[in-house]
Amino acid sequence: MEIKGTTIKKELRELGHNTKKISVRVSHYGYGNTTIDVEIKDLSVDLRAVDKYLNQKYREIRYDEHVQGEILEGCNTFVRCNYEYDIFRNAVKANLPKAKKLIAEFEAEDTYSGIEFFENDHFKAYAFYKDKLISVHSKDEEDNNIYRRHVFYNEHDLARALLILDLYGNFGL
């Protein structure tokens, strides 16, 4: 089956995505391998939904049954979904003042105890400043375990983490 970028954009449009803000490039190369590269040009487009849909529908990777993790050459379809670099970078830059303010607050506390700094309907995030760690916890009473952890070493790392939390509420993909 020949995969075409126009077909993928049509499917994404039918799912309700604004395809004017999505670029799809399909590359066919040696031994029948195919790569689907999707670049999203607006943070309001849900990268995770696009990635999940395309991986479920198109991703097909053949693994060697004798060597764990070894991908066999030929007839594989790979999917890569990312935000456009400048869009994501500019959004991180916009979060830098907030990140600097938070780091100043964390430094003032100077503790190993977690400081809550983010909350939505499903998750709470705590910063452990001395450990340089963000820990996201589920608010669901049945699943009160740590959901994801994210390390931050400076304001830029924290600004990036804040953007991801604002977009998705957690760090899982």
Side-chain angles (χ1 to χ4, degrees):
M1 174 175 90
E2 179 83 16
I3 301 169
K4 295 184 179 182
T6 54
T7 305
I8 292 171
K9 283 187 85 161
K10 180 181 175 192
E11 291 174 11
L12 292 173
R13 190 177 315 108
E14 289 170 357
L15 290 172
H17 297 288
N18 182 354
T19 56
K20 290 181 180 176
K21 300 180 183 213
I22 298 174
S23 169
V24 178
R25 186 176 67 235
V26 178
S27 304
H28 303 280
Y29 54 97
Y31 303 107
N33 287 322
T34 302
T35 300
I36 301 169
D37 284 302
V38 177
E39 186 175 69
I40 298 175
K41 300 173 183 179
D42 188 344
L43 294 176
S44 66
V45 176
D46 188 352
L47 174 86
R48 289 184 184 183
V50 171
D51 185 66
K52 182 178 179 180
Y53 171 77
L54 293 177
N55 272 295
Q56 286 177 347
K57 177 142 188 190
Y58 292 104
R59 181 177 185 257
E60 188 175 330
I61 300 175
R62 299 175 329 122
Y63 292 96
D64 188 331
E65 61 189 54
H66 301 291
V67 181
Q68 184 177 1
E70 181 78 19
I71 296 174
L72 295 174
E73 182 64 43
C75 299
N76 295 308
T77 302
F78 303 96
V79 176
R80 292 187 294 226
C81 296
N82 292 299
Y83 285 114
E84 183 181 61
Y85 177 78
D86 288 337
I87 296 292
F88 198 81
R89 184 186 59 158
N90 291 339
V92 169
K93 279 185 182 179
N95 274 343
L96 277 174
K98 184 177 180 182
K100 288 179 182 180
K101 181 181 174 199
L102 281 172
I103 285 189
E105 290 175 19
F106 299 158
E107 285 176 338
E109 291 287 329
D110 195 31
T111 179
Y112 283 106
S113 298
I115 302 166
E116 182 182 328
F117 73 98
F118 174 85
E119 181 175 6
N120 67 13
D121 293 341
H122 305 287
F123 301 98
K124 284 185 178 183
Y126 299 89
F128 295 87
Y129 179 70
K130 287 197 172 191
D131 294 327
K132 303 292 188 203
L133 180 74
I134 296 171
S135 179
V136 180
H137 298 257
S138 173
K139 289 171 73 174
D140 184 1
E141 292 179 19
E142 295 176 12
D143 181 27
N144 200 14
N145 297 324
I146 295 171
Y147 185 71
R148 295 276 197 225
R149 291 185 173 173
H150 185 80
V151 177
F152 68 97
Y153 295 104
N154 54 40
E155 289 114 3
H156 186 271
D157 290 346
L158 185 57
R160 186 177 185 283
L162 289 169
L163 176 59
I164 292 168
L165 286 170
D166 285 341
L167 288 172
Y168 305 116
N170 61 63
F171 296 109
L173 182 64

